[in-house]
């Protein structure tokens, strides 16, 4: 359907002019309004085929307009335009019954396509409940990649479709799962998370489904599994790609039937949970190699959400860094800010550990920086520009490597030798390459790497989180043989 009657509400003269021109070129009749009062006058004269509205207006809220129009004239699709490009805005727009949400700045071709699609789907049945904005939501970013993530989340919070979140380690997969739960109709029930990579394969079924007394050696009493613990709420299956194939079979049966039994039990229990799964692996490749069941993959991948790595959303780094410094201050660490060069330095880094690595760096800087304003020099020294002190020169001992590192610091940043941060900095720079090298040597097997280092597995996992290290094996320029 084309050539519709479009009503555009925005208090910015330039936006009204440009958007109206683009829509008229596409064959639509366009009326404009600069306020809620203007809009009301236009609506009294004639209902539009499509309404486009900004969120922030001089005398009202565009999302409230969408909710009101959805109540009185649900056949009119509303497209919300907003410079407040947050997850909450996207969710509020969807809950208010908006047909779609377009973050500013938007592409005019995208806008015209969205208007054309809305004209062809007038009267879409969407929920009308509007909830106040929650500024505590953990997902942050205004990049186009994150806007797409927000739009998908906004469309799934009102249903129970299974979601598969994919992305590199540290990109925030659990934050997405929590946002889906906290914004959905199951928010009052439990959110339960289980990491498949952290549980011995022989205990996974008991952890998921629970067990009866005497079901196996050491089962002294009946224990509820994660499905029972999450009853009525959301079950987050993290690192689903590491789930043993035999446990995958039983999980598939539960997803198909909606029922399960405990290990050693006979009573059927209804699985009243929403499933959100996450992985940092390429599951399609795992399916091709026989490591992951194809039928389970399609059961989980009903709504895919791909989280971008931080290096692909550099425009969000400054906002994230300032947010993490604010959180650090709220937790009792000194309040710090970033100078302009510091922001540029952060944006130039590739962040292999993604958002988690950035958060950990901001906390370390909040704790260790002696000035109120963090400089680019401090950031570069702590990041190390991707270098490690373990092998600055081939075939030298660690003692000589450390001495060479200190000599370089004395020449480039002599103040570092006396600022009280040297011990923590040196330990951090030695620890990272040590852990990465052992993970690479043992093919990413965390249990073997922990034994080689002399740590227990739980301690290693904590250090991986703190340092923002991806446990997947990666080739190194100086592989251990």
């Amino acid at each position: 359907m084309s050539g519709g009657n479009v009503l555009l509400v925005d208090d910015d003269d330039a936006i009204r002019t440009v958007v109206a021109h683009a829509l008229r070129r596409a064959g639509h009749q366009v009326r404009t309004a600069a306020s809620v009062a203007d809009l009301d006058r236009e609506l009294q004269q004639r209902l539009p085929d499509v309404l486009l509205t900004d969120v922030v207006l001089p005398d009202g809220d565009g999302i409230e307009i969408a909710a009101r129009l959805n109540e009185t004239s649900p056949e009119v699709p509303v497209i919300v335009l907003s410079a407040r490009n947050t997850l909450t805005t996207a969710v509020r727009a969807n809950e208010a019954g908006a047909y779609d949400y377009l973050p500013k700045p938007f592409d005019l071709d995208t806008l015209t396509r969205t208007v054309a699609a809305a004209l062809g789907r007038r009267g879409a049945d969407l929920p009308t409940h509007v909830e106040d904005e929650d500024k505590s939501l953990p997902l942050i970013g205004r990049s186009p990649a994150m806007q797409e993530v927000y739009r998908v989340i906004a469309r799934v919070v009102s249903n129970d479709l299974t979601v598969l979140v994919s992305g590199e380690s540290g990109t925030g997969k659990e934050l997405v799962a929590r946002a889906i739960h906290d914004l959905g109709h199951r928010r009052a029930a439990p959110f339960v998370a289980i990491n498949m990579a952290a549980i011995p394969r022989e205990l996974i079924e008991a952890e998921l489904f629970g067990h009866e007394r005497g079901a196996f050696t050491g089962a002294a009493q009946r224990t509820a599994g994660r499905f029972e613990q999450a009853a009525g709420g959301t079950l987050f299956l993290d690192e689903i790609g590491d789930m043993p194939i035999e446990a995958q079979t039983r999980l598939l049966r539960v997803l198909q039937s909606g029922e399960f039994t405990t290990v050693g039990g006979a009573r059927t229990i209804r699985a009243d949970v929403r499933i959100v799964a996450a992985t940092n692996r390429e599951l399609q490749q795992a399916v091709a190699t026989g490591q992951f069941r194809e039928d389970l993959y399609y059961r989980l991948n009903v709504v895919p959400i791909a989280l971008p790595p931080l290096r692909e959303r550099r425009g969000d780094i400054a906002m994230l860094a300032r947010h993490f410094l604010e959180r650090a201050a709220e937790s009792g660490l000194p309040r710090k800010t970033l100078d302009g060069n510091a922001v540029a330095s952060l944006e130039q880094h590739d962040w292999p550990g993604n958002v988690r690595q950035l958060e950990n760096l901001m906390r370390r800087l909040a704790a260790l920086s002696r000035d109120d304003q963090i400089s680019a020099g401090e950031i570069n020294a702590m990041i190390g520009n991707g270098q490690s002190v373990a092998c600055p020169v081939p075939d030298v001992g660690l003692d000589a490597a450390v001495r060479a590192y200190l000599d370089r610091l004395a020449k480039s940043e002599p103040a570092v030798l006396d600022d009280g941060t040297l011990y923590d900095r040196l330990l951090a720079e030695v620890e990272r390459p040590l852990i990465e090298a052992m993970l690479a040597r043992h093919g990413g097997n965390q249990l073997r790497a922990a034994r080689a280092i002399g740590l227990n597995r739980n301690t290693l996992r904590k250090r991986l989180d703190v340092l923002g290290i991806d446990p997947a094996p990666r080739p190194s320029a100086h592989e251990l043989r």
Side-chain angles (χ1 to χ4, degrees):
M1 179 178 180
S2 61
N5 182 283
V6 179
L7 178 54
L8 168 64
V9 189
D10 198 301
D11 63 340
D12 189 311
D13 292 340
I15 289 179
R16 289 201 308 275
T17 300
V18 171
V19 171
H21 179 68
L23 291 174
R24 288 178 180 127
R25 286 186 60 185
H28 304 296
Q29 300 175 27
V30 182
R31 294 178 291 156
T32 63
S35 65
V36 175
D38 290 345
L39 168 67
D40 287 339
R41 285 192 289 271
E42 293 291 340
L43 292 177
Q44 289 174 6
Q45 295 179 22
R46 179 186 174 187
L47 280 178
D49 296 320
V50 177
L51 173 67
L52 278 72
T53 179
D54 190 14
V55 172
V56 181
L57 296 168
D59 54 349
D61 183 320
I63 293 180
E64 292 177 0
I65 292 171
R68 186 183 70 186
L69 196 60
N70 188 56
E71 183 71 26
T72 60
S73 305
E75 73 279 7
V76 178
V78 179
I79 299 171
V80 172
L81 315 173
S82 177
R84 291 186 174 181
N85 305 335
T86 66
L87 170 59
T88 305
T89 306
V91 171
R92 285 187 63 217
N94 190 69
E95 290 188 333
Y99 171 78
D100 208 343
Y101 155 77
L102 294 180
K104 295 178 180 179
F106 46 77
D107 179 78
L108 288 175
D109 288 339
T110 300
L111 176 65
T112 54
R113 286 196 300 270
T114 303
V115 169
L119 287 167
R121 294 180 57 189
R122 293 183 60 185
D125 185 15
L126 294 171
T128 60
H129 172 66
V130 181
E131 188 169 0
D132 291 337
E133 183 168 357
D134 180 1
K135 292 181 173 59
S136 68
L137 289 175
L139 289 170
I140 292 174
R142 296 187 176 185
S143 62
M146 287 306 295
Q147 293 305 311
E148 184 59 31
V149 171
Y150 297 163
R151 292 173 72 182
V152 176
I153 292 175
R155 292 192 176 278
V156 300
V157 294
S158 60
N159 56 58
D160 279 336
L161 294 175
T162 301
V163 177
L164 179 61
V165 187
S166 60
E168 296 178 7
S169 179
T171 49
K173 296 184 287 294
E174 184 167 349
L175 297 183
V176 171
R178 286 188 177 276
I180 291 171
H181 173 78
D182 292 343
L183 294 166
H185 66 94
R186 292 177 177 266
R187 65 177 71 90
F191 174 90
V192 176
I194 179 171
N195 189 317
M196 298 301 179
I199 301 173
R201 58 190 305 125
E202 65 273 12
L203 296 180
I204 281 186
E205 290 195 25
E207 284 284 339
L208 282 174
F209 309 113
H211 61 79
E212 301 298 322
R213 178 180 179 181
F216 50 83
T217 303
Q221 59 185 14
R222 186 189 187 279
T223 300
R226 304 303 173 91
F227 269 89
E228 281 188 84
Q229 295 169 18
T234 301
L235 179 59
F236 175 52
L237 305 176
D238 198 8
E239 304 301 353
I240 191 71
D242 292 318
M243 190 177 197
I245 198 76
E246 58 271 16
Q248 293 177 28
T249 301
R250 186 163 184 189
L251 176 61
L252 176 65
R253 287 200 298 269
V254 175
L255 296 180
Q256 289 173 331
S257 67
E259 298 177 336
F260 67 94
T261 58
T262 59
V263 175
R267 182 172 62 91
T268 298
I269 302 172
R270 180 169 173 263
D272 179 21
V273 298
R274 179 183 196 152
I275 297 292
V276 180
T279 181
N280 62 6
R281 299 179 59 189
E282 290 288 344
L283 284 192
Q284 287 181 306
Q285 183 177 347
V287 168
T289 58
Q291 297 175 299
F292 201 84
R293 290 188 61 121
E294 183 176 24
D295 43 8
L296 177 58
Y297 170 72
Y298 288 117
R299 280 280 179 179
L300 294 172
N301 196 41
V302 177
V303 179
I305 297 179
L307 279 178
L310 191 53
R311 62 183 174 274
E312 294 181 6
R313 43 181 294 224
R314 295 182 191 273
D316 292 337
I317 289 176
M319 184 188 305
L320 285 163
R322 294 187 177 104
H323 170 74
F324 293 142
L325 286 176
E326 182 64 28
R327 283 181 54 178
E330 291 171 356
S331 69
L333 291 173
R335 186 173 296 277
K336 301 294 172 67
T337 60
L338 297 165
D339 68 23
N341 291 332
V343 171
S345 178
L346 291 173
E347 291 175 343
Q348 290 169 6
H349 189 56
D350 279 342
W351 301 106
N354 292 295
V355 177
R356 183 188 297 137
Q357 182 186 2
L358 176 62
E359 179 176 14
N360 291 332
L361 175 67
M362 291 300 101
R363 290 189 64 84
R364 290 202 300 275
L365 286 166
L368 299 177
S369 177
R370 302 184 71 175
D371 297 324
D372 291 338
Q373 193 169 60
I374 297 167
S375 69
E378 290 177 290
I379 289 172
N380 292 335
M382 198 163 284
I383 292 176
N385 294 317
Q387 303 294 321
S388 79
V389 301
C391 291
V393 182
D395 302 323
V396 299
L398 181 60
D399 178 82
V402 172
R403 291 179 187 276
Y405 173 75
L406 294 176
D407 287 342
R408 288 199 306 276
L409 280 182
K411 295 175 182 177
S412 61
E413 298 179 72
V416 172
L417 299 179
D418 300 309
D419 68 1
T421 67
L422 186 59
Y423 182 79
D424 287 335
R425 179 177 300 173
L426 188 57
L427 286 185
E429 293 200 37
V430 172
E431 185 180 24
R432 172 180 291 277
L434 171 64
I435 291 176
E436 289 179 339
M438 288 300 100
L439 285 169
R441 181 179 179 85
H442 295 285
N445 187 302
Q446 295 178 37
L447 182 59
R448 293 178 183 173
R451 287 173 179 169
I453 297 170
L455 302 174
N456 65 50
R457 184 176 181 179
N458 289 335
T459 300
L460 176 62
R461 289 190 62 80
K462 290 177 182 177
R463 300 311 300 162
L464 292 175
D465 286 341
V466 168
L467 296 170
I469 296 175
D470 184 348
R474 290 181 295 174
S476 170
H478 301 285
E479 288 190 48
L480 295 180
R481 290 175 171 84

